[in-house]
Amino acid sequence: MSFLIKILFFISKLPLRILYIFSDVMFFLNYYLVGYRKTVITQNLRNSFPDKSEEEIRKIRKKFYRNFSDYLVETIKSFSISETESRVRMQHINQDLFHEAKKEGKNIILLAGHVFNWEWINALAKIIPQAHCHPVYRKVNSDFWENQMKKVRNKFGNEALEANEVIRNIFRSENNGDSAYMFVADQTPHFSHVTYGLEFMHQRTPAFIGYDKLATRMDLAFIYCEMKKVKRGYYQVNYYRIYPDQERFTEHEVVRKFHKMLENTLHKHPDNYLWSHRKWKYQDSIKIFDTEKN
């Protein structure tokens, strides 16, 4: 494994203009020859955009394959990318929200979707006034990739937390505006943990609701991260504060608001989402389906 680590680190040191050549090759193989999860991607797009023609679906699918290939090489680049290059390639908009939460004495819950490239948000830790930034990750079966991705998420002074321990950590930590927790919040719960679901992209969707427990029990600042691909290798993140309708969030309110904001993002840039993700495979396991709209 140490040899593989050295190879990956060497590849990651290559300039992105070289890595994008590898991306172009992967795109050709994936799109024209292998057809990686083509059936899943096509069905997800058809179900999510029922008003779009087959030609429009085909165009979105092709752009997705290009973006997905870029995402893969950009993730490898994350192993060695410098703080300077990361801050140049990922522009952060509306940073005042972080200073606002700091003044209010409220820790921050950042909610992002699987929109490319969420892996490059880590340098945010060097920009915002919060002293502790915790990217939240899900444990993977491979110890090798578990260790490598944890190293990536611990860069730039971040303190990565595994998903099963993060809620406990937040409840035990002082809510003083000095911590930010970064969730990729559209994770699909394992079927044994599916309880709550809602309509998202025209489909019954099982939703991860761990952060909802925080919203109803603690006075935290919730911020939505809208990823936008400006051009190849350059991204922009717009941050939006999520406020409750009343003084405090009611049960599942923040979950509905997050999914509505993510849905708006996907309608603007449909090709930049992880459509190969089997997000809707457990929809029949939903026990509580939310019919309320935001």
Side-chain angles (χ1 to χ4, degrees):
M1 285 297 183
S2 60
F3 178 72
L4 180 56
I5 292 172
K6 290 178 181 178
I7 293 295
L8 286 174
F9 190 77
F10 171 76
I11 294 173
S12 76
K13 297 287 283 186
L14 295 172
L16 270 169
R17 66 178 183 276
I18 303 298
L19 291 177
Y20 284 137
I21 296 175
F22 290 105
S23 174
D24 291 339
V25 173
M26 282 193 292
F27 162 72
F28 180 84
L29 294 174
N30 268 337
Y31 186 73
Y32 290 104
L33 299 179
V34 178
Y36 170 72
R37 290 195 174 181
K38 183 178 179 180
T39 301
V40 173
I41 294 164
T42 304
Q43 194 60 53
N44 283 344
L45 288 171
R46 284 173 178 163
N47 292 342
S48 298
F49 302 100
D51 295 334
K52 291 190 181 297
S53 67
E54 283 300 308
E55 178 63 17
E56 289 173 308
I57 295 297
R58 187 192 65 79
K59 287 180 179 178
I60 294 171
R61 186 180 63 207
K62 186 174 183 178
K63 288 181 180 179
F64 160 78
Y65 275 107
R66 287 194 180 277
N67 290 332
F68 180 66
S69 298
D70 282 356
Y71 160 74
L72 293 176
V73 299
E74 288 168 2
T75 299
I76 293 174
K77 185 65 179 176
S78 299
F79 294 175
S80 65
I81 194 169
S82 68
E83 178 189 342
T84 299
E85 184 172 8
S86 182
R87 290 177 65 169
V88 167
R89 293 187 175 278
M90 180 70 83
Q91 184 183 17
H92 301 272
I93 310 298
N94 301 337
Q95 294 179 34
D96 288 350
L97 294 182
F98 297 92
H99 294 273
E100 178 184 285
K102 177 83 171 178
K103 290 179 182 178
E104 293 173 6
K106 296 179 181 180
N107 288 342
I108 293 171
I109 306 297
L110 290 165
L111 302 178
H114 281 92
V115 178
F116 305 132
N117 189 337
W118 71 89
E119 295 287 358
W120 276 10
I121 199 174
N122 282 0
L124 178 68
K126 291 291 188 178
I127 302 171
I128 60 178
Q130 283 69 30
H132 306 285
C133 288
H134 303 281
V136 179
Y137 69 96
R138 293 181 77 171
K139 193 173 184 66
V140 295
N141 293 329
S142 166
D143 289 338
F144 170 75
W145 284 111
E146 169 84 8
N147 291 331
Q148 296 316 301
M149 294 313 297
K150 191 170 182 178
K151 286 179 183 178
V152 168
R153 292 185 172 97
N154 276 330
K155 290 184 67 173
F156 310 126
N158 284 291
E159 305 161 53
L161 291 171
E162 205 276 322
N164 289 329
E165 65 186 29
V166 65
I167 303 298
R168 188 183 308 113
N169 181 284
I170 295 173
F171 278 130
R172 290 178 177 177
S173 300
E174 184 180 1
N175 184 19
N176 59 2
D178 210 27
S179 297
Y181 299 84
M182 307 173 183
F183 286 78
V184 181
D186 61 336
Q187 299 279 6
T188 301
H190 188 271
F191 76 91
S192 61
H193 297 142
V194 172
T195 55
Y196 170 83
L198 75 175
E199 184 175 311
F200 171 68
M201 299 304 293
H202 301 281
Q203 299 168 80
R204 290 171 57 91
T205 305
F208 168 71
I209 58 173
Y211 59 93
D212 185 65
K213 298 176 184 178
L214 303 170
T216 55
R217 299 180 191 179
M218 298 181 69
D219 192 14
L220 302 166
F222 284 80
I223 296 176
Y224 173 64
C225 313
E226 181 175 65
M227 305 281 183
K228 177 184 176 182
K229 187 171 187 176
V230 180
K231 61 180 180 179
R232 196 176 209 184
Y234 293 89
Y235 297 87
Q236 184 182 89
V237 191
N238 283 274
Y239 297 100
Y240 300 96
R241 185 79 175 259
I242 305 176
Y243 291 101
D245 290 336
Q246 306 299 327
E247 186 176 345
R248 298 290 291 270
F249 283 106
T250 57
E251 187 178 27
H252 301 144
E253 181 183 359
V254 72
V255 182
R256 290 193 298 269
K257 289 179 182 291
F258 163 72
H259 280 85
K260 183 62 177 178
M261 296 173 89
L262 178 58
E263 192 172 82
N264 290 338
T265 298
L266 300 191
H267 280 290
K268 287 187 284 187
H269 307 287
D271 54 281
N272 216 35
Y273 188 61
L274 191 62
W275 295 110
S276 56
H277 182 40
R278 299 178 189 270
K279 183 169 179 58
W280 291 279
K281 63 181 176 179
Y282 297 139
Q283 58 182 226
D284 292 337
S285 300
I286 295 172
K287 299 176 182 64
I288 302 170
F289 183 71
D290 194 338
T291 58
E292 188 172 341
K293 302 290 184 179
N294 267 306

